Amino acid sequence: GQNIDQPTEMTATEGAIVQINCTYQTSGFNGLFWYQQHAGEAPTFLSYNVLDGLEEKGRFSSFLSRSKGYSYLLLKELQMKDSASYLCAVRDRYGGSQGNLIFGKGTKLSVKP
Amino acid sequence: GAGVSQSPRYKVAKRGQDVALRCDPISGHVSLFWYQQALGQGPEFLTYFQNEAQLDKSGLPSDRFFAERPEGSVSTLKIQRTQQEDSAVYLCASRGHGRLNTGELFFGEGSRLTVL
């Protein structure tokens, strides 16, 4: 079966660093995505990993270990506007949709002053 | 268009009514997806189109759900005889193609359906 796990909620302080973990078990793997979703808005793309290692993009970094079925999203220098849900999604190569994304339930991050 | 556009943004239906939700993808995007997102949950796959062909409808929860994309651009998701459990946000996403494309999906803001 397909399963993607991530914490339901996290709280962090403005200016701090937070790490959001994601573990997955899927029938195939062709990349892992992180999306940000503010309440009532569309999910927006943050990062993509297909090989093991760290991808850095400004204040956001994403890490992947395919052998462990594990990824994390690292947010540095947190700002109030980073309060949102963060969605981990795996592209299943073997899905009938030629690359459909399977999403976790999302991690709701609250940034406090 | 500049982004994925969905309408209506909000829809209230009485149980048993039919509804139609529209998606206008990014111009030139071949792939189009529909997802259902319940409150506090991640998006769940419903169906996928490549141009006008519906290649995967395995996520449609029942035969009350029907999607089409007759000219390979705009898509419509239709729900017949709506039930309360159909209440959710329906997200449409499109994807470009090309060797340098990571394959990320571009989402619309969704249509929030409330069934009373």
Side-chain angles (χ1 to χ4, degrees), chain A residues 33 35 37 40 42-43 45 48 87 91 96-101 103-105, chain B residues 9 35 37 40-43 45 48 50 55-56 95 102-105 107-108:
Chain A
F33 295 79
Y35 279 79
Q37 187 177 28
F45 170 75
Y48 167 72
L87 300 165
R91 182 164 59 200
S97 297
Q98 302 176 32
N100 174 36
L101 295 190
F103 284 87
K105 294 186 178 182
Chain B
R9 288 293 314 279
Y35 286 83
Q37 187 174 25
Q41 303 292 311
F45 169 76
Y48 162 68
Q50 186 169 307
L55 299 186
D56 189 342
R95 181 176 68 198
T102 62
E104 80 257 28
L105 301 184
F107 283 88

Side-chain angles (χ1 to χ4, degrees), chain B:
Chain B
V4 179
S5 178
Q6 292 188 245
S7 62
R9 288 293 314 279
Y10 303 93
K11 176 69 179 178
V12 178
K14 291 183 180 177
R15 190 162 57 94
Q17 279 185 327
D18 297 348
V19 299
L21 309 176
R22 175 189 166 106
C23 172
D24 202 337
I26 292 173
S27 179
H29 276 193
V30 167
S31 300
L32 184 146
F33 296 79
W34 282 98
Y35 286 83
Q36 181 190 59
Q37 187 174 25
L39 191 63
Q41 303 292 311
E44 299 227 355
F45 169 76
L46 293 176
T47 187
Y48 162 68
F49 290 86
Q50 186 169 307
N51 295 306
E52 69 279 2
Q54 189 175 18
L55 299 186
D56 189 342
K57 55 183 180 179
S58 62
L60 296 177
S62 77
D63 59 7
R64 296 186 295 105
F65 287 70
F66 171 76
E68 60 183 5
R69 194 186 185 197
E71 297 178 359
S73 178
V74 170
S75 177
T76 304
L77 176 68
K78 297 179 180 177
I79 310 173
Q80 297 176 322
R81 304 181 304 281
T82 52
Q83 304 294 314
Q84 284 188 321
E85 62 261 28
D86 300 336
S87 296
V89 175
Y90 290 86
L91 293 167
C92 177
S94 68
R95 181 176 68 198
H97 286 258
R99 284 186 301 124
L100 300 180
N101 195 309
T102 62
E104 80 257 28
L105 301 184
F106 294 84
F107 283 88
E109 291 187 309
S111 292
R112 180 179 295 276
L113 173 64
T114 302
V115 182
L116 304 177

